[in-house]
Amino acid sequence: MERGEPPLIGQKLVALLIMVVPALIAMFGIKLIRDAFFHSAASETGFLWGQLVLGVLLFVIPVLFIAGFVLHHDRKRNRVQPRFMKREPEED
């Protein structure tokens, strides 16, 4: 594919899936966090620490993945500020 050609439909679909699947996992993480808080407020049982930790992990990891994907994509297109550009190793 040459520089001026638009990406193929398949490439755009893969990029969309790379963004949507982690977003769905992050939404499930938010649901687990919310359920842990509401369950502890509504019942006499203890706080659901395991569910809270799992929810935080299922929220944070996909968000970091999406951020890294967007940063990588923007670096390839030279759309980031100079402080986010990859530094080249200095020669001695």
Side-chain angles (χ1 to χ4, degrees):
M1 175 179 358
E2 293 182 24
R3 273 276 194 215
E5 293 181 29
L8 300 173
I9 298 294
Q11 290 175 340
K12 287 189 175 192
L13 183 62
V14 169
L16 180 66
L17 286 175
I18 288 174
M19 300 292 276
V20 169
V21 171
L24 292 173
I25 294 170
M27 288 182 348
F28 184 68
I30 290 172
K31 178 199 174 304
L32 288 177
I33 294 169
R34 186 193 66 195
D35 290 348
F37 281 117
F38 285 127
H39 179 72
S40 66
S43 68
E44 301 297 322
T45 60
F47 193 75
L48 301 174
W49 286 105
Q51 185 172 346
L52 178 70
V53 169
L54 180 64
V56 169
L57 287 176
L58 287 178
F59 174 72
V60 170
I61 293 172
V63 168
L64 292 176
F65 177 80
I66 292 171
F69 179 78
V70 170
L71 180 63
H72 173 73
H73 182 266
D74 286 350
R75 276 183 182 162
K76 282 180 19 181
R77 305 266 187 284
N78 236 0
R79 294 182 185 169
V80 294
Q81 294 180 2
R83 67 180 178 173
F84 294 117
M85 293 299 289
K86 280 191 174 181
R87 294 185 182 123
E88 296 185 18
E90 297 179 14
E91 296 180 21
D92 291 331

